[in-house]
Amino acid sequence: MAKKLPKVDVVIVGVGWGGGIIASELTKQGLNVVGLERGKERKTEDYFMVHDELRYALRYELMQDLSKETITFRSKTSVRALPMRSYGSFLLGTGLGGAGVHWNGHTFRFLPYDFEIRSKTVERYGEKKIPADMTIQDWGITYDQLEPYFDKFERMAGISGEENPLAGKRSKPYPTPPMKKMPSMKMFEEAAKKKNWHPYMLPSANLSEAYTNPDGISRAACQYCGFCERFGCEYGAKADPVVTVIPVAQKTGKFEIRTHSQVRRILHTGNKATGVLYTDVTTGEEIEQPADIVVLTSYVFNNTRLLLLSKLGRPYDPNTGKGVIGKNYAYQVIRGGATGFFEDREFNYYAGAGALGIVLDDFNGDNFDHKDLKFIHGASISHTMTGQRPIQTNPVPQGTPSWGKDFKAASLKYINRTLSVGAQGASMPFRHHFLDLDPTYKDVFGDPLIRITFDFEEQDRQLAAFTAERCGELLQEMGASKVEVNGKLGPYDIVPYQSTHNTGGVIMGASPDTSAVNNYLQMWDAENVFVVGASAFGHNSGYNPTGTMGALSYRCAEGILKYHKSGGGMVV
Ligand SMILES: Cc1cc2nc3c(=O)[nH]c(=O)nc-3n(C[C@H](O)[C@H](O)[C@H](O)COP(=O)(O)OP(=O)(O)OC[C@H]3O[C@@H](n4cnc5c(N)ncnc54)[C@H](O)[C@@H]3O)c2cc1C
Ligand code: SF4
């Protein structure tokens, strides 16, 4: 029999960016909030003087323990899914701050096109442009409606950046100036301008200068230490939930965080949640936390999984296309880039930051004509300098032996003579790409794992080939002696790392028939359950997701406050 605790106003499942933002916004308005986080406590001091690539980047110190809980994957419904037993394609965060602690900090706003993707595609190219099984739909919100929330997220995090001429209109400039422009980034800029493209400095959560945010949180400037992606920041310069929103919530005295608390079910009577059931993983004790409002902020996979395990909402059925929980899983197309080798030039690659780079959007969204192309949407194209990590970075031209004297000579020669230009390609949802519960594999508690059914489509192959050509052209213009274009996209392979940008499963929209949550992320089928994260995205864009996910979190917090004030009902 589970121990039952006193009721609180709100219980949050997972304390990453989503959970931290919701907690700070609700506690500032006087609500009592409990945050249940399955991982451990984290603080900036944990990272003092530990630039240890093996520990963090290769042995995944900050990531979810896959021996206890993982995902299963299959490429299509006719094959059996197998569990991801070691990290590959994407990494999963755990612990206070979630993946927000070890992210890079690329902080984009999705394009206006993204939010109205179906209407705008049909308007410009006609219905026929959208393949029959591509399930893109409008998000039930426009960029203009979301703009104030983007601004709120950027001000809280202190995003460093400059105007992007091809993006949606901004109400205010970025709160801090762009990061430093390294020599290779100047080369990218000049080359892009010669081609009449529109480069801009990557919007960065690494902080170009010391900054105090509207909540009174002060942080130091980035030191370009280069140990950023997959690491926590020892200076507190990288915006993460632990150094921004969580302390704001804690200061109110109304936020209680319980770490080592694995939520296993959402408890509900009919369509109204009554709280959650969780296990204290240090003792094995089962505990019931009653609450008026339940907020899922446990990332794409567990947001979907908890709803399916709890039998809340209508599960998606790929055969009929009906149901919504698990629908529109999407990933990203990262294999559309190019590498340039420079015989007569060396670069200092050791200084870098998680979100130091230069980007262009001339081939992103619908910023270019797709009339004669066999794909929709596109990719952001960028050159970044995240720091040359000695174990993992070893660029050599194709044809170099992979071992021995010649490999060593080429490695030493090219370590500082290689630049890459990458493309982050949008991923469209298809009827047969979805999430559901695995019938075979279970976690350490005996609960079914979430199962991914996904593969790359012809749309993705066409997109990768197209963007790789553009990346190659840029490197030629930048003066590379040799350019390798990497635009061949095979079947999706879960083994090599690609992108931790999973989306969908609990998507937002204007109608309960086609979406799981409304544009305040309130469940259509359970009015006191809000589901926050990239799980709400109807498709994945040509950018990193967290800027958009952060904006939606602020919007959701506003919705929860409205719901709480009105004492019930749908806020839309
Ligand atoms: C290496 C890396 C680099 C990245 N770089 C970028 C970038 O540059 N730009 C960008 O936009 N995005 C980036 N991302 C993605 C970004 O980190 C995520 O979009 C963001 O952190 C998601 O926030 P979230 O709050 O939705 O989920 P998370 O950060 O995953 O937080 C969810 C929390 O819920 C907890 N949880 C899950 N299940 C349960 C449960 N059952 N009970 C209790 N707690 C639970 C987890 O432990 C976790 O702490 C990167 C990700 C990785 C891994
Ligand atoms: S690169 Fe900058 S933001 Fe990233 S960890 Fe180092 S100091 Fe922090």
Side-chain angles (χ1 to χ4, degrees):
M1 181 81 178
K3 177 168 90 179
K4 191 167 177 175
L5 300 175
K7 191 158 95 163
V8 293
D9 293 328
V10 179
V11 65
I12 289 174
V13 182
V15 190
W17 268 129
I21 291 169
I22 299 291
S24 72
E25 292 303 288
L26 301 190
T27 52
K28 280 194 264 180
Q29 298 304 318
L31 272 65
N32 283 306
V33 179
V34 163
L36 300 173
E37 167 54 50
R38 69 179 171 189
K40 61 183 182 189
E41 169 88 34
R42 293 237 187 85
K43 49 195 182 318
T44 299
E45 293 88 304
D46 297 346
Y47 318 112
F48 282 179
M49 305 301 286
V50 278
H51 287 178
D52 186 338
E53 185 185 1
L54 189 62
R55 178 173 164 190
Y56 289 101
L58 281 93
R59 293 187 176 154
Y60 311 111
E61 165 101 2
L62 300 176
M63 317 298 172
Q64 177 181 313
D65 179 351
L66 299 182
S67 70
K68 298 201 167 73
E69 184 189 342
T70 184
I71 55 97
T72 70
F73 163 73
R74 59 182 179 173
S75 56
K76 50 181 182 261
T77 51
S78 56
V79 299
R80 177 174 156 184
L82 291 172
M84 179 172 82
R85 295 193 191 272
S86 57
Y87 276 114
S89 181
F90 49 80
L91 308 171
L92 298 166
T94 195
L96 200 65
V101 169
H102 52 75
W103 73 322
N104 291 52
H106 299 202
T107 312
F108 293 97
R109 299 174 169 200
F110 280 13
L111 294 163
Y113 171 69
D114 281 307
F115 301 100
E116 297 169 89
I117 187 165
R118 177 168 275 276
S119 318
K120 284 185 184 291
T121 305
V122 171
E123 191 184 309
R124 187 164 174 189
Y125 308 105
E127 272 301 334
K128 283 207 182 110
K129 186 76 184 169
I130 304 170
D133 51 357
M134 184 191 278
T135 50
I136 49 168
Q137 59 188 61
D138 294 355
W139 290 29
I141 196 161
T142 62
Y143 171 86
D144 288 346
Q145 283 174 295
L146 205 51
E147 202 284 334
Y149 308 96
F150 275 121
D151 184 64
K152 222 168 167 183
F153 182 75
E154 289 166 1
R155 247 142 257 287
M156 174 277 293
I159 303 305
S160 307
E162 65 186 6
E163 189 75 29
N164 167 10
L166 298 178
K169 254 202 154 86
R170 305 176 58 85
S171 55
K172 297 190 194 98
Y174 284 104
T176 54
M179 302 282 282
K180 288 191 195 311
K181 203 176 283 170
M182 303 305 204
S184 60
M185 289 154 57
K186 287 184 187 147
M187 288 161 62
F188 178 104
E189 183 180 38
E190 280 163 23
K193 282 189 173 160
K194 272 197 198 145
K195 295 180 95 49
N196 285 326
W197 298 344
H198 300 84
Y200 64 98
M201 287 296 287
L202 195 158
S204 171
N206 300 153
L207 266 193
S208 59
E209 62 183 28
Y211 176 68
T212 302
N213 79 7
D215 290 317
I217 297 280
S218 296
R219 289 166 32 234
C222 173
Q223 305 299 306
Y224 298 85
C225 79
F227 288 79
C228 198
E229 178 201 356
R230 303 189 186 189
F231 299 81
C233 177
E234 68 177 302
Y235 305 98
K238 174 164 68 173
D240 76 33
V242 177
V243 298
T244 55
V245 283
I246 293 172
V248 171
Q250 284 176 310
K251 205 168 156 206
T252 63
K254 295 194 167 286
F255 186 39
E256 186 193 342
I257 299 171
R258 289 182 212 142
T259 49
H260 303 291
S261 301
Q262 174 95 22
V263 176
R264 309 220 357 242
R265 295 291 183 278
I266 304 152
L267 303 170
H268 55 103
T269 308
N271 284 347
K272 199 100 189 248
T274 54
V276 298
L277 177 75
Y278 70 96
T279 299
D280 177 336
V281 297
T282 60
T283 61
E285 188 179 21
E286 290 202 342
I287 303 168
E288 184 181 330
Q289 177 59 67
D292 286 332
I293 298 169
V294 173
V295 190
L296 297 186
T297 47
S298 53
Y299 193 57
V300 169
F301 297 122
N302 271 349
N303 283 354
T304 309
R305 180 170 175 243
L306 281 168
L307 291 171
L308 293 172
L309 285 172
S310 310
K311 302 194 182 335
L312 202 54
R314 291 153 291 139
Y316 174 66
D317 178 348
N319 296 314
T320 60
K322 297 221 158 67
V324 284
I325 309 299
K327 180 179 161 172
N328 277 27
Y329 170 77
Y331 189 56
Q332 253 179 351
V333 183
I334 303 298
R335 289 293 151 88
T339 311
F341 298 92
F342 293 74
E343 294 296 335
D344 54 354
R345 215 171 152 172
E346 289 192 55
F347 306 94
N348 174 6
Y349 237 143
Y350 290 93
L356 175 64
I358 185 156
V359 196
L360 54 87
D361 284 322
D362 296 76
F363 305 101
N364 202 357
D366 202 26
N367 289 342
F368 58 114
D369 190 0
H370 291 68
K371 188 160 58 62
D372 298 323
L373 297 170
K374 294 196 178 85
F375 62 89
I376 63 163
H377 213 302
S380 55
I381 286 178
S382 64
H383 164 59
T384 55
M385 289 190 71
T386 52
Q388 191 95 286
R389 293 199 295 249
I391 303 175
Q392 273 190 316
T393 326
N394 211 339
V396 287
Q398 279 167 13
T400 306
S402 57
W403 194 249
K405 215 161 74 175
D406 290 347
F407 171 69
K408 194 170 168 191
S411 297
L412 291 172
K413 177 172 176 191
Y414 288 108
I415 188 76
N416 285 333
R417 294 170 189 270
T418 310
L419 298 179
S420 22
V421 172
Q424 182 162 210
S427 175
M428 297 302 109
F430 284 80
R431 188 170 161 151
H432 45 278
H433 296 171
F434 62 101
L435 301 175
D436 66 354
L437 293 177
D438 192 284
T440 311
Y441 294 99
K442 299 190 167 49
D443 68 8
V444 74
F445 302 104
D447 289 328
L449 297 176
I450 196 82
R451 172 171 67 177
I452 303 173
T453 305
F454 175 79
D455 204 352
F456 288 131
E457 301 284 333
E458 188 51 26
Q459 142 92 24
D460 304 316
R461 278 183 269 283
Q462 295 280 337
L463 172 62
F466 177 85
T467 57
E469 288 300 324
R470 306 290 84 73
C471 295
E473 286 168 27
L474 262 175
L475 279 162
Q476 293 287 8
E477 193 69 56
M478 285 163 75
S481 332
K482 182 172 187 233
V483 175
E484 288 175 3
V485 171
N486 316 310
K488 247 197 157 89
L489 188 71
Y492 172 64
D493 180 356
I494 200 153
V495 177
Y497 184 77
Q498 289 156 70
S499 149
T500 305
H501 302 155
N502 302 280
T503 59
V506 194
I507 66 169
M508 61 192 290
S511 156
D513 294 338
T514 51
S515 60
V517 292
N518 64 23
N519 67 22
Y520 282 99
L521 309 189
Q522 179 184 31
M523 271 186 85
W524 293 112
D525 290 338
E527 65 174 43
N528 65 339
V529 178
F530 291 77
V531 189
V532 181
S535 50
F537 297 4
H539 67 273
N540 204 358
S541 183
Y543 291 128
N544 311 58
T546 311
T548 301
M549 179 258 155
L552 285 169
S553 305
Y554 277 104
R555 167 126 180 135
C556 175
E558 195 179 291
I560 296 171
L561 289 168
K562 278 188 189 184
Y563 177 79
H564 185 256
K565 202 166 165 198
S566 62
M570 297 306 288
V571 286
V572 180

